[in-house]
Amino acid sequence: MKALDISNLNITIVGIGLIGGSYAKAIRKNIKINKLWAIDINMDALNEAKYTGVIDDGFTNSQFPLENSDIVILCTYPNITIDFLKENMMYFKKKALITDTLGMKNKIVSETLSVIRDDLEFIGGHPMSGKESNGYNYSDADIFKNAQYILTPNKTTSSNSLNLLKQIITSIGFSDIIEMSSQTHDEKVAFTSQLPHIIACTLMNSSNLNNNLQCVGGSFKDATRVADINSELWSELIFENKDNILNELNNFIVDITNIHNIIKSDDKDNLVSFLNISKERRKKMNI
Amino acid sequence: MKALDISNLNITIVGIGLIGGSYAKAIRKNIKINKLWAIDINMDALNEAKYTGVIDDGFTNSQFPLENSDIVILCTYPNITIDFLKENMMYFKKKALITDTLGMKNKIVSETLSVIRDDLEFIGGHPMSGKESNGYNYSDADIFKNAQYILTPNKTTSSNSLNLLKQIITSIGFSDIIEMSSQTHDEKVAFTSQLPHIIACTLMNSSNLNNNLQCVGGSFKDATRVADINSELWSELIFENKDNILNELNNFIVDITNIHNIIKSDDKDNLVSFLNISKERRKKMNI
């Protein structure tokens, strides 16, 4: 594949932690651009990124990079993101394209659209990849490889901006880009991401755990891998998507109570059918 | 480490599927023995193992290999294992050591001890490793590497036999051997193995799944990896450990209902504390 060449454009990453750092490394590795900058309050991370050649320069003051960037990628925590946008709205370069990387889309997209300048464009985004650890030191361009990226274009989105963003996402390693509304996104990830995270944390909070650590096999390790969680970020994400998550938890409690009852009543036919459905569907997922 | 040399002994593996095949490959690779044989009804698997040099010979009739084996490793399904022992009890070589590899220990150990000849020894065993796929073609000596092995010695177990079995287990790659009673084993694995398997299958049986497959990230993939399950084997395992499993399912439903209520009541302090406990404990597991 020919490398993406947008060497007339400047890009700024806001927040150079795990996702922001990985984004910066993946852009540096795969895309020709004019300047790649980062904004953060963490000077150590900025210096590390600058002196290893990942970014051209790092800033704790947003004015200069925002005034000169065609594309701004927000990789900050939920509660900081909207404040950052509001406080810095006057600095953004005319016609700049802004995107974010938050795991929740409805709130950030609607709040941003209500405060954004008319000449700017905001497209919500969610890279479906991550690691347990956080911080720039754990960032890695390869975490994006073969992962999915969800974009939530809105009525103000131009096809030019959407296509440019898609080119960048594909160039840095993502295998699929899925477009949907921000509401649909939040409904879906309540099931595919937040429910398994909450289950993993519930297992780790079990009062049985300490007695049983010596008999842990692969199934328990896998089921709890994501339980080494960023609690600050996740408490925000969970409350932001509260209604959808409560809905999924209710469904799951009904489902697992149902299989409890199947086992309790020695209903072998239904247990085997439950296991067979599971086996067939999981095999088909092929991941 | 010096390779284990028991070149005066013959070993027979009964059932050369995923675990039996992996056991045979791991013994061939790591231990000097006199003869390594396998018993199965699947001629294709026996021939494949024989002609690739994994076993010295394969048998569909048990008499010869049992009459001449010092160690017999049962790698069969639960409902076949006890029948196999009963039907072939007269063939076992005098003073032979027999062990099994089943995920449930209490029933198999007590039933075996009630039918076994006085001159034979039976020690229950459970290699805490596996793969989703089953059958000899998927067997692999490496699945044992760095995994735990549980042994359930009983009042008839001699230290000589226990030590020999431990030497074999260590030689084929397992990192830890844990000894406990068969009752304790079954209580523990209800939490560490069967609960995560049932959770994984419950997620795959969700009516939400088909609508959401396009937004699946790492957490869902990991949470459901073991859902590609051997349904025949697992329906037996689940009913054999029914009481312990129902107990764990009840505890888990209480725990997840509790976190549902914490989210519902916007109880941020308790949510953050729940996530922090999860994070600390999972980090400490270090696996």
Side-chain angles (χ1 to χ4, degrees):
Chain A
M1 197 176 63
K2 205 178 148 208
L4 178 60
D5 184 348
I6 45 175
S7 50
N8 56 332
L9 300 184
N10 299 330
I11 298 182
T12 286
I13 311 267
V14 182
I16 193 157
L18 174 70
I19 297 295
S22 303
Y23 229 119
K25 289 174 181 174
I27 288 175
R28 176 58 84 211
K29 196 171 164 186
N30 297 295
I31 307 181
K32 285 189 190 172
I33 60 169
N34 185 40
K35 294 288 180 190
L36 179 58
W37 294 316
I39 299 169
D40 208 305
I41 51 170
N42 179 346
M43 280 299 297
D44 290 343
L46 290 174
N47 283 334
E48 173 72 16
K50 181 175 175 178
Y51 294 119
T52 52
V54 171
I55 57 172
D56 294 298
D57 213 346
F59 301 85
T60 52
N61 183 318
S62 308
Q63 185 170 355
F64 174 81
L66 292 186
E67 283 178 348
N68 294 283
S69 285
D70 306 283
I71 300 168
V72 177
I73 300 163
L74 304 167
C75 302
T76 41
Y77 277 20
N79 63 347
I80 296 171
T81 306
I82 192 71
D83 289 343
F84 178 89
L85 279 168
K86 282 184 193 166
E87 286 163 17
N88 293 283
M89 193 55 75
M90 64 287 208
Y91 296 138
F92 284 94
K93 184 177 173 181
K94 203 164 159 33
K95 296 194 174 177
L97 168 61
I98 309 168
T99 188
D100 78 316
T101 54
L102 288 176
M104 293 291 88
K105 297 271 61 82
N106 200 26
K107 191 177 168 203
I108 186 72
V109 172
S110 60
E111 288 191 353
T112 302
L113 291 181
S114 74
V115 299
I116 200 171
R117 274 176 17 216
D118 284 348
D119 64 298
L120 302 173
E121 271 198 65
F122 178 80
I123 304 176
H126 178 195
M128 298 282 287
S129 65
K131 279 211 284 206
E132 295 64 60
S133 313
N134 49 307
Y136 180 79
N137 289 337
Y138 293 96
S139 66
D140 180 355
D142 286 344
I143 66 171
F144 298 152
K145 273 200 180 143
N146 302 317
Q148 294 184 328
Y149 205 109
I150 302 173
L151 286 176
T152 64
N154 55 73
K155 57 187 181 202
T156 72
T157 302
S158 69
S159 60
N160 275 353
S161 298
L162 186 58
N163 286 337
L164 175 59
L165 193 50
K166 285 179 172 181
Q167 282 182 292
I168 292 171
I169 291 165
T170 308
S171 299
I172 62 175
F174 287 89
S175 60
D176 297 294
I177 300 171
I178 311 166
E179 293 174 44
M180 61 185 71
S181 73
S182 52
Q183 292 86 341
T184 303
H185 168 275
D186 289 4
E187 285 167 25
K188 285 181 183 284
V189 297
F191 176 71
T192 60
S193 172
Q194 287 146 359
L195 178 61
H197 276 83
I198 292 169
I199 289 170
C201 295
T202 303
L203 286 171
M204 291 310 296
N205 272 265
S206 167
S207 53
N208 282 341
L209 186 71
N210 279 337
N211 293 334
N212 291 311
L213 270 177
Q214 60 178 178
C215 291
V216 160
S219 60
F220 194 86
K221 292 179 200 171
D222 283 341
T224 59
R225 186 183 63 83
V226 295
D228 182 2
I229 203 162
N230 181 332
S231 25
E232 198 182 334
L233 173 64
W234 272 82
S235 64
E236 289 186 33
L237 290 177
I238 287 170
F239 284 125
E240 275 200 19
N241 204 21
K242 179 180 159 178
D243 291 344
N244 288 320
I245 290 173
L246 290 177
N247 192 26
E248 292 304 335
L249 280 170
N250 279 327
N251 290 342
F252 178 74
I253 291 168
V254 167
D255 288 346
I256 201 157
T257 303
N258 185 36
I259 193 65
H260 168 281
N261 294 339
I262 284 173
I263 297 169
K264 190 172 181 183
S265 59
D266 293 315
D267 183 350
K268 186 167 179 186
D269 287 350
N270 267 318
L271 181 62
V272 170
S273 152
F274 166 85
L275 296 172
N276 279 334
I277 287 171
S278 169
K279 180 193 183 70
E280 281 161 30
R281 288 186 179 175
R282 189 60 181 82
K283 210 180 279 295
K284 226 186 284 176
M285 268 172 67
N286 197 23
I287 43 177
Chain B
M1 199 176 63
K2 206 177 149 209
L4 178 61
D5 184 347
I6 44 175
S7 49
N8 56 331
L9 300 184
N10 299 331
I11 297 183
T12 286
I13 311 265
V14 183
I16 193 156
L18 175 69
I19 296 297
S22 302
Y23 230 119
K25 289 175 181 175
I27 289 174
R28 175 60 81 210
K29 195 171 163 184
N30 296 295
I31 307 180
K32 283 190 192 174
I33 60 171
N34 184 40
K35 293 288 179 191
L36 179 59
W37 294 315
I39 299 169
D40 208 306
I41 51 169
N42 180 347
M43 280 297 298
D44 289 342
L46 290 174
N47 284 334
E48 173 71 17
K50 180 174 177 180
Y51 294 118
T52 53
V54 171
I55 57 174
D56 294 300
D57 212 346
F59 300 85
T60 52
N61 182 318
S62 307
Q63 185 169 355
F64 173 82
L66 292 187
E67 282 178 348
N68 293 284
S69 285
D70 307 282
I71 300 168
V72 178
I73 301 163
L74 302 168
C75 303
T76 42
Y77 278 20
N79 63 347
I80 295 171
T81 305
I82 192 73
D83 288 343
F84 177 89
L85 279 168
K86 283 184 193 164
E87 286 162 17
N88 294 282
M89 193 55 76
M90 64 286 209
Y91 297 138
F92 284 94
K93 184 176 174 182
K94 204 165 158 32
K95 297 194 175 178
L97 168 61
I98 309 169
T99 188
D100 77 317
T101 53
L102 288 176
M104 293 292 88
K105 297 271 62 81
N106 201 26
K107 192 176 166 204
I108 186 72
V109 172
S110 58
E111 288 191 352
T112 301
L113 292 181
S114 74
V115 298
I116 200 170
R117 276 177 14 217
D118 283 349
D119 63 300
L120 302 174
E121 271 200 64
F122 178 80
I123 304 176
H126 179 195
M128 298 282 286
S129 67
K131 278 212 284 207
E132 295 64 58
S133 314
N134 49 309
Y136 181 78
N137 289 337
Y138 292 96
S139 67
D140 180 354
D142 286 344
I143 66 171
F144 298 151
K145 272 202 180 143
N146 302 316
Q148 294 184 329
Y149 206 108
I150 303 173
L151 287 176
T152 65
N154 55 74
K155 57 186 182 203
T156 71
T157 302
S158 70
S159 60
N160 276 353
S161 297
L162 186 58
N163 285 338
L164 175 59
L165 193 50
K166 284 179 173 181
Q167 281 182 293
I168 292 172
I169 290 165
T170 308
S171 298
I172 61 175
F174 286 89
S175 60
D176 297 294
I177 300 172
I178 311 165
E179 293 174 45
M180 61 184 72
S181 74
S182 53
Q183 292 87 339
T184 302
H185 167 276
D186 288 4
E187 283 166 27
K188 284 182 182 283
V189 297
F191 176 71
T192 60
S193 172
Q194 287 146 0
L195 178 62
H197 277 82
I198 292 169
I199 289 171
C201 295
T202 303
L203 286 172
M204 291 310 295
N205 273 265
S206 167
S207 54
N208 282 341
L209 186 71
N210 279 337
N211 293 333
N212 292 312
L213 269 177
Q214 60 178 178
C215 290
V216 161
S219 60
F220 195 87
K221 292 179 201 171
D222 284 342
T224 59
R225 186 182 64 80
V226 295
D228 181 3
I229 203 163
N230 182 332
S231 25
E232 198 183 335
L233 173 64
W234 272 82
S235 63
E236 288 185 33
L237 291 176
I238 288 170
F239 284 125
E240 274 199 19
N241 204 21
K242 178 179 160 179
D243 291 345
N244 288 320
I245 290 173
L246 290 176
N247 191 27
E248 291 304 336
L249 280 170
N250 278 328
N251 290 343
F252 177 74
I253 292 168
V254 168
D255 288 345
I256 201 157
T257 303
N258 185 36
I259 192 64
H260 169 280
N261 294 339
I262 285 173
I263 297 170
K264 190 172 181 183
S265 58
D266 293 316
D267 183 350
K268 186 167 179 186
D269 287 350
N270 268 317
L271 181 62
V272 170
S273 153
F274 166 85
L275 296 173
N276 279 334
I277 287 171
S278 169
K279 180 192 182 72
E280 280 161 31
R281 289 186 178 175
R282 188 61 181 81
K283 211 181 278 296
K284 226 185 284 174
M285 267 173 68
N286 197 24
I287 44 176

